[in-house]
Amino acid sequence: MKMSSGVEWALHSCVTLSQSHEPVPAARLAELHGTPPAYTAKHLQALSRAGIVRSTMGQVGGYTLTRPAAEISALEVVRAIDGDEPAYRCAEIRQRGPLGIPAEQCSRPCAIARAMAAAQDAWSRALAEISIADLAADIDADSDGTAMSDVRRWLTATRS
Amino acid sequence: MKMSSGVEWALHSCVTLSQSHEPVPAARLAELHGTPPAYTAKHLQALSRAGIVRSTMGQVGGYTLTRPAAEISALEVVRAIDGDEPAYRCAEIRQRGPLGIPAEQCSRPCAIARAMAAAQDAWSRALAEISIADLAADIDADSDGTAMSDVRRWLTATRS
DNA sequence: GCCTCTGTACTCGGATATAGTCTGTCCGAGTATCTTGGG
DNA sequence: CCCAAGATACTCGGACAGACTATATCCGAGTACAGAGGC
């Protein structure tokens, strides 16, 4: 049960993008976060496919959020990067072996699968309640209100 | 974010073991569940290391639960197989790049890491509230009360 | 002076190697039972 | 008939290959701006 490390980069990238109304190139985000440029770009493509960010080509292109940061949940970002299939996938053990139950009698999911699904739902709900704007605000509060303004200043300074 | 498939086998094995006071060999559990014998044994060893099951060697040896099934949570089994490290591991991106924060200023975990940890806590709590006895009861209810008695009968029948 | 066309520099996007981990398997170490021999 | 010692058969435990996914990278397709030339 290991989450892709790209999730962390994607969340940080979304927080950074929430501080800029202009497109930010993937290379700029990679430089700011100290991450491999090419691999960072790959994850941004995944966010683009999921409809979370919009890509703009051309000389002053880059990535922008498609929606206000308050309307983007952390769950969406995690699912865009890590996939939306549940962590636990029932292999229907109950149908196998000498005491296997015929498939036609299995109307409900296995009790074990139900328990794991309930846990995953609790996890999803916790992440769905957190927006990118919340994360930006929390990061800002941790730094006494300097972090986000520093990011905005850096983004405009490196644009020239 | 993919959970080891061995988690499913381990949970089913614990439910089966809860129906027997006598040691059950790994090969017997593998046969009942239709799983690869050697690999099933490997996961049972992990349960043994975690203190969830006790192994008995010798001619009539096998595995038994160390505690009543009601005192073993699904979370313990999952952690024994899948590892107890959290799915999200913060790489401290905030300390990297041109706007990196010095490590000595990072007293609290990163806000993003806190959010992911809260989600994992919700997931853990959901699994901690479910015991092996609960799972056995649910499986029994799904089959109108025949599943567990069938398991007990099969275990005693194949012992001879 | 204004418009248009071309060139260029910059961007994203998907296809391509590499590494680590999970899956699956095998053989050796250890123990309780069963048998056999003696008292 | 009872006891003890040895052989045996069964168990678990850790060490060993194979396959798959995640990681990391590169190069090609596409677009907007800048500049030069013509009207």
Side-chain angles (χ1 to χ4, degrees), chain A residues 47-126:
Chain A
L47 292 180
S48 176
R49 273 192 295 271
I52 296 172
V53 302
R54 175 179 304 281
S55 66
T56 307
M57 293 188 115
Q59 203 164 7
V60 294
Y63 289 98
T64 50
L65 295 181
T66 58
R67 282 167 283 163
E71 297 176 11
I72 300 173
S73 71
L75 178 63
E76 287 181 75
V77 176
V78 170
R79 285 225 266 235
I81 301 297
D82 213 55
D84 56 353
E85 59 190 13
Y88 181 89
R89 284 147 295 115
C90 183
E92 290 295 339
I93 279 186
R94 59 179 171 175
Q95 297 182 17
R96 306 167 64 176
L99 295 183
I101 303 172
E104 57 265 22
Q105 292 186 16
C106 298
S107 54
R108 314 177 62 184
C110 172
I112 292 177
R114 294 201 301 270
M116 302 303 289
Q120 173 118 13
D121 282 348
W123 177 83
S124 298
R125 273 195 298 272

Side-chain angles (χ1 to χ4, degrees), chain A residues 1-3 8-9 31-32 34 82 87-89 91-93 96-98 108 111 114-115 119 123 130 138 142, chain B residues 1-3 8-9 31-32 34 82 87-89 91-93 96-98 108 111 114-115 119 123 130 138 142:
Chain A
M1 176 106 123
K2 186 168 64 87
M3 187 173 296
E8 183 176 6
W9 309 351
E31 179 189 0
L32 176 61
D82 213 55
Y88 181 89
R89 284 147 295 115
E92 290 295 339
I93 279 186
R96 306 167 64 176
R108 314 177 62 184
R114 294 201 301 270
W123 177 83
I130 300 174
D138 288 348
D142 285 347
Chain B
M1 175 104 122
K2 188 168 63 88
M3 186 174 295
E8 183 176 7
W9 308 352
E31 180 190 0
L32 176 60
D82 213 56
Y88 181 90
R89 284 148 295 115
E92 289 294 339
I93 279 186
R96 305 167 64 176
R108 315 176 60 185
R114 294 202 300 271
W123 177 83
I130 299 174
D138 288 347
D142 285 346

Side-chain angles (χ1 to χ4, degrees), chain B residues 5-20:
Chain B
S5 63
V7 169
E8 183 176 7
W9 308 352
L11 285 170
H12 277 277
S13 293
C14 285
V15 169
T16 300
L17 288 178
S18 74
Q19 302 302 311
S20 171

Side-chain angles (χ1 to χ4, degrees), chain B residues 128-153:
Chain B
E129 290 173 358
I130 299 174
S131 72
I132 297 299
D134 294 333
L135 292 175
D138 288 347
I139 291 174
D140 214 33
D142 285 346
S143 63
D144 296 325
T146 61
M148 290 303 114
S149 60
D150 285 348
V151 167
R152 286 191 293 270
R153 192 175 305 120

